[in-house]
Amino acid sequence: MDILMIKDRWSEIKSKLKQLFADLTETDLSYEQGKDDRLIRQIQIKLGITRDEVISLIRSL
C-alpha cells in the first residue's frame, strides 16, 4: 500500500498501531490528508525507528 493511500483505512491502521505500541497517543496518530510526512515523523520520534521502518510498519498493517 502506498503511504499516501492510508486515509481510507486509517481507523483500522491506527487501532492496530495503538495495540502494538501503547506509547502512541491519539495526537501522535492524528492523520490529516496531505500531511503524511508529519504523521510519519511523529511515529518515528515516538518509536525511535527510521522513516523507512515506519513506512514498512504501516504497510504491513
Side-chain angles (χ1 to χ4, degrees):
M1 175 190 324
D2 186 67
I3 192 66
L4 300 174
M5 304 293 283
I6 64 173
K7 70 175 184 164
D8 296 333
R9 293 189 51 233
W10 185 242
S11 295
E12 176 187 344
I13 293 169
K14 180 170 71 169
S15 176
K16 289 178 181 180
L17 284 170
K18 287 172 81 176
Q19 288 175 354
L20 291 170
F21 305 100
D23 291 345
L24 293 173
T25 66
E26 281 293 321
T27 303
D28 297 330
L29 298 173
S30 65
Y31 174 73
E32 295 179 49
Q33 188 173 353
K35 297 193 177 182
D36 298 344
D37 287 333
R38 189 210 63 80
L39 173 66
I40 292 168
R41 181 71 180 140
Q42 189 62 31
I43 296 170
Q44 184 181 351
I45 290 168
K46 234 2 197 253
L47 300 181
I49 60 178
T50 68
R51 175 183 172 78
D52 290 338
E53 289 172 319
V54 172
I55 292 171
S56 292
L57 175 63
I58 290 172
R59 286 181 178 160
S60 73
L61 300 174

